[in-house]
Amino acid sequence: MRPFRYARADDVRGAVALLAEAPAGAYLAGGTNLVDLMKLDVATPELLVDVRRLTSDRVEELPDGGILIGAATPNSDLAAHPLLRGRYPVLSQALLSGASGQLRNLATAGGNLLQRTRCVYFQNVTTPCNKRTPGTGCSAIDGHHRELAVLGTSPECIATHPSDFAVALAALDATVHTEGPGGGRRIPMTELHRLPDGEPDRDTVLAHGELITAIEVPPLAFATRSHYRKVRDRASYAFALVSVAAAIDVADGTVRDVRIALGGVAHKPWRASHAEELLRGGPALEDRFRAAAEAELAEARPLPGNAFKVPLARNTLTRTLLDLVDGPA
Amino acid sequence: MDVEVSLRVDGTAHRVTVDIRTTLLDALRERLGNTSPKKGCDHGQCGACTILLDGRRVNSCLALAVAHDGAEIVTAAGLAADGELHPMQRCFIQYDAFQCGYCTPGQIVSAVAMLREAEAGWPSAVTADGVAAGDGGRTGLDADEIRERMSGNLCRCAAYANIVPAIQELARR
């Protein structure tokens, strides 16, 4: 690991000021991904600004019935929180399907959204990678890409975003609160992460020094009927091949409203807006679910090693909606 | 660059000067001589380095010592109070829940913390009824629950067939 400087600030504003002065610096929260990337020489920050104690580390109920999640809330506290388990089970399930008990205790809500892809070439400094070192090429497109993206890819990068939590947040229309050198702003979860086009090294729209301070989840009554289904190579402690976060509101056999996002298929959590549009107002039937999934995946451009993800995503989406519709009240 | 950090390890206070890049795992093993937490993968994937950090199980290989100045740490060695083995340690012996033993300190620390998490009502990914209910406490932990909650601890000898019953034995008491 390369040497670095370490600093703490008294408050968020101070941390933002410290990092603004250090173009090659980074924020440190739980460190579960960053410290690993520093060991691998993939991340080489010259300054770490520790923000773990600066933002809220708890969940707050908002007057409108939504919730505000402090960026420093450990994933484990978040997954066990009664407000998440009761009102947004999809969030709790997504968190619990990710990482291990030990990692969930260290990792924070804000850091979870900013973790980097687990593409093997990104994590290996001896191989070309446009995300790690722009302009060197993508080793995955003609190499090992079984885990990588099928939607929204570019000729430069086919990385997937690894977070489960972010997929569930994208389905729920969550908003990320940030503080940066230019002040504070609110970013819809669906716009926080970007597609690789042009700048595969940029995972998000955040500016240098912009810090996530909180995540706001708006009220959604039918999210009490929501689910996160994750398909992976082993039963636990693995990243998603494909995942689906969904919530559905059905009355008299008709879909009144629905929220769907896919994980493991793109450079960002993939909100399935097209499938949602097709489903709203239609009958809550398996063939409709399947058709909506197929329509969403029509633009998929899989490679030989990950073509299985297209039918897998279609089937996982169909099954998740069916389980929500047929499951216990 | 060196930094001085204070750590309370298994009940004993230490002040130690470390290179700023030092993880808690390396501080414990290389500077404080506590070789109870093991270095397996050193990337947070195997769980052999599991310690209790301010009461919670974490991978000590991913925690920088400088970021945890003042922390209270318990290792597997510290679970044995006054020369008496912790009940979880006794269960691992009773069920022969290891072969080479390298992952065992991490398994035991993780299992002790995992039972506390279950007691506090924390759900797991396999908890029945999704996560809406799922606080049956520790006595309700079946083999599937234990395997899920312990998935962050790998055993390359694959002694799981005895690790799971060892943990279940203590969960039932």
Side-chain angles (χ1 to χ4, degrees), chain B residues 6-42:
Chain B
S6 298
L7 299 171
R8 193 170 176 84
V9 182
D10 296 337
T12 305
H14 300 272
R15 273 193 86 70
V16 60
T17 301
V18 296
D19 182 288
I20 197 161
R21 294 167 285 187
T22 308
T23 60
L24 283 178
L25 176 62
D26 286 338
L28 289 166
R29 290 182 59 87
E30 309 296 333
R31 302 307 309 281
L32 300 177
N34 185 333
T35 54
S36 171
K38 298 290 186 270
K39 184 177 279 195
C41 68
D42 208 24

Side-chain angles (χ1 to χ4, degrees), chain B residues 32-119:
Chain B
L32 300 177
N34 185 333
T35 54
S36 171
K38 298 290 186 270
K39 184 177 279 195
C41 68
D42 208 24
H43 289 285
Q45 296 175 5
C46 77
C49 68
T50 302
I51 58 167
L52 299 184
L53 175 62
D54 296 325
R56 293 179 171 219
R57 55 174 171 161
V58 303
N59 307 85
S60 60
C61 73
L62 292 180
L64 292 170
V66 66
H68 294 279
D69 187 18
E72 170 91 36
I73 289 168
V74 177
T75 70
L79 288 174
D82 305 323
E84 286 284 311
L85 290 181
H86 186 279
M88 186 65 80
Q89 293 169 322
R90 288 204 299 273
C91 284
F92 267 62
I93 293 170
Q94 183 188 337
Y95 281 82
D96 197 16
F98 40 81
Q99 288 181 42
C100 83
Y102 196 76
C103 73
T104 309
Q107 296 273 3
I108 287 173
V109 172
S110 188
V112 167
M114 181 276 282
L115 291 188
R116 288 185 199 156
E117 292 169 3
E119 237 163 23

Side-chain angles (χ1 to χ4, degrees), chain A residues 15-16 37 50 59 64 69 98 104 163 189 258-259 265 267 274:
Chain A
V16 168
L37 292 174
D50 194 334
V59 179
D64 66 1
I69 298 166
R104 289 193 294 270
S163 168
M189 251 314 290
V258 63
R259 301 277 189 281
V265 294
H267 197 256
H274 189 42

Side-chain angles (χ1 to χ4, degrees), chain A residues 16 108 136 154 192 273 299:
Chain A
V16 168
T108 63
T136 54
S154 87
L192 174 69
S273 309
E299 285 174 35

Side-chain angles (χ1 to χ4, degrees), chain B residues 148-167:
Chain B
E148 166 59 31
R149 290 170 189 261
M150 291 294 294
S151 69
N153 291 84
L154 305 187
C155 170
R156 291 297 80 169
C157 305
Y160 303 111
N162 291 354
I163 292 172
V164 173
I167 297 170

Side-chain angles (χ1 to χ4, degrees), chain A residues 1-4 6 8 32 35-36 39-40 50 52-53 76-77 80 85 92 96 100 102-103 105 236-237, chain B residues 20-21 42-45 50 56-57 59 61-62 66-68 110 117 121-123 125 131 133 148 151-153:
Chain A
M1 194 188 292
R2 295 180 196 217
F4 54 85
Y6 172 89
R8 279 186 201 156
T32 53
V35 173
D36 190 27
K39 290 182 182 196
L40 294 167
D50 194 334
R52 198 166 49 95
R53 294 177 185 85
S76 45
D77 291 37
R85 292 164 71 182
S92 186
L96 291 170
S100 66
Q102 289 97 313
L103 288 168
N105 277 333
S236 181
Y237 199 16
Chain B
I20 197 161
R21 294 167 285 187
D42 208 24
H43 289 285
Q45 296 175 5
T50 302
R56 293 179 171 219
R57 55 174 171 161
N59 307 85
C61 73
L62 292 180
V66 66
H68 294 279
S110 188
E117 292 169 3
W122 287 14
V131 295
E148 166 59 31
S151 69
N153 291 84

